[in-house]
Amino acid sequence: MSVPFPPGPFDPLDGSLRRTAQEQPYWLAWAQVKGIGPHRLKRLLECFGSLQRAWEADEPALQQVEGIGPALAQSIQAARCQLIPEQVLEQTLKPGIPFLTPADPGYPPLLWELPDPPPILYVLGDCPTWEQQPALGIVGTRAPTAYGRHWTKQISAALAEAGCVVVSGLAAGIDGVAHQACLEAGGKTVAVVGTGPEMVYPAQHRQLHQRIQAQGAILSEYPPGTPPAKEHFPQRNRIIAGLCCATLVMEAPERSGALITAYLANDYGREVYALPGNIDTAAARGCLNLIRKGAGMILGIESLLEDLRLVQGSPRETADSGAPGSGNIQAKAGPTDPDQQLLWQILGSEPMGIDALAQATQMEITTLSSTLLMMELEGWLVQLPGMCYRRTP
């Protein structure tokens, strides 16, 4: 026996969610029922069409929902006797921190696509207009190299200038660099944290926490006052991956929380990119493994922006762009030699030292030096003091 789909805020035919204010208290109340996590909560809505109807359903009807058996249905019945949704709403409002549920218009649409969307998001600051500004995640190790910091700054600033929202987790290392660079470029950044939204973790990011509130938003599914806990951060990572159309991993060792975010993004059908690095550098090995498994390779700002479809084709492109309307990125013209082509893609308008280029390309120094010399002679790049190079303007 199947439960019919009554008309309500959830449309089972297309999976969309029609926002209705009366649903908000029920999202909050259901979230407090033991045994009902985000997965089952979404199934309840899909089954009943309304969380209010689900709240009023009897035990046999509840057992029609996948994952709810007799024991859990009884537990739900007992919990509902102790909870009044309107009172739960009042209690949630008391701390004075704004929040969103999937019943609210500001709830991020991409987040709803997750199998386990958070039933509540506390918000400090102003959320972006998610439908109008693409969100890109930047994640990585807490102990980046100078090379990782350099490219994180460059890419975060470029994304900000392209009108994107930079999303990260406010952790030490790559996360903090990405947030800071976005702010300095005048962009909007969102930090998804594994604590209560007003808690500052790590403590060194107090000023950054305040700046993000003023120029973006702090998001958390954990109530105010929640301290950091190890188990919170993998859960936090799913929100970063879910908010973003693509996730960029800048540096990550083989065992890294950033890789969890990347794998989740892949599972959600989102794009994943990784910054290549020196195979002898521990912080690069996670990224190299992602690339080996099919992640896009970050080979410079211009090529990344084109891959992300954030810029139109430049004049220096080949005429062969694939079928009209196919959405393929046009191939950039450049040096025909493979080593020169790799260097030309990595180099941008900002100077890069020979050591950083050696890390990025993994070329032998002798090969790298001769290739750079040939490119300089052919007009592809210019050498600057200190053995630094950049593309020819």
Side-chain angles (χ1 to χ4, degrees), residues 38 81 104 123 139 149 175 177 206 214 244 257 276 279 281 363 383:
C81 293
D104 298 306
V123 181
V139 296
R149 286 180 174 274
D175 290 18
V177 173
R206 184 167 300 280
C244 300
I279 195 171
T281 303
M363 290 184 190
Q383 182 178 351

Side-chain angles (χ1 to χ4, degrees), residues 51-322:
L51 286 187
Q52 181 177 356
R53 291 191 181 93
W55 191 262
E56 296 164 353
D58 59 19
E59 290 184 31
L62 289 172
Q63 291 179 47
Q64 300 297 318
V65 179
E66 181 184 356
I68 297 181
L72 182 53
Q74 289 179 7
S75 177
I76 290 171
Q77 182 63 27
R80 290 187 301 190
C81 293
Q82 306 297 320
L83 292 169
I84 299 175
E86 289 75 14
Q87 290 182 358
V88 176
L89 174 59
E90 290 178 11
Q91 293 167 1
T92 309
L93 289 168
K94 276 184 181 178
I97 294 180
F99 60 87
L100 295 169
T101 72
D104 298 306
Y107 193 87
L110 280 180
L111 206 53
W112 175 249
E113 295 179 6
L114 272 60
D116 54 349
I120 181 169
L121 276 178
Y122 294 92
V123 181
L124 286 177
D126 292 321
C127 278
T129 305
W130 299 106
E131 294 88 348
Q132 297 176 9
Q133 292 179 273
L136 281 298
I138 296 183
V139 296
T141 178
R142 287 172 168 78
T145 65
Y147 168 76
R149 286 180 174 274
H150 167 80
W151 277 106
T152 301
K153 288 179 183 178
Q154 298 299 313
I155 288 173
S156 184
L159 291 175
E161 290 167 3
C164 298
V165 178
V166 172
V167 179
S168 196
L170 199 60
I174 293 294
D175 290 18
V177 173
H179 289 305
Q180 189 72 39
C182 178
L183 293 169
E184 290 174 358
K188 199 174 189 72
T189 187
V190 170
V192 184
V193 298
T195 65
E198 85 292 5
M199 306 288 285
V200 179
Y201 181 81
Q204 73 222 45
H205 281 167
R206 184 167 300 280
Q207 288 187 340
L208 182 56
H209 190 280
Q210 293 172 350
R211 284 197 66 189
I212 293 172
Q213 288 185 57
Q215 202 169 318
I218 308 285
L219 300 185
S220 177
E221 65 179 326
Y222 298 105
T226 303
K230 185 177 180 180
E231 63 271 15
H232 291 174
F233 293 95
Q235 289 292 100
R236 178 274 309 272
N237 292 349
R238 92 185 191 286
I239 298 178
I240 295 175
L243 282 172
C244 300
C245 56
T247 294
L248 316 181
V249 185
M250 303 310 296
E251 274 190 327
E254 290 177 308
R255 296 176 63 85
S256 170
L259 299 182
I260 296 174
T261 310
Y263 292 134
L264 286 168
N266 183 68
D267 289 344
Y268 299 153
R270 314 293 165 76
E271 297 182 55
V272 177
Y273 292 84
L275 180 72
N278 190 331
I279 195 171
D280 293 324
T281 303
R285 290 175 192 158
C287 287
L288 293 173
N289 280 331
L290 285 175
I291 292 168
R292 182 171 63 88
K293 293 177 180 179
M297 192 184 305
I298 299 172
L299 294 175
I301 291 172
E302 292 182 19
S303 62
L304 176 65
L305 293 179
E306 290 180 1
D307 287 346
L308 294 170
R309 297 168 292 280
L310 295 173
V311 293
Q312 297 295 324
S314 68
R316 297 180 68 181
E317 291 175 335
T318 62
D320 183 10
S321 60

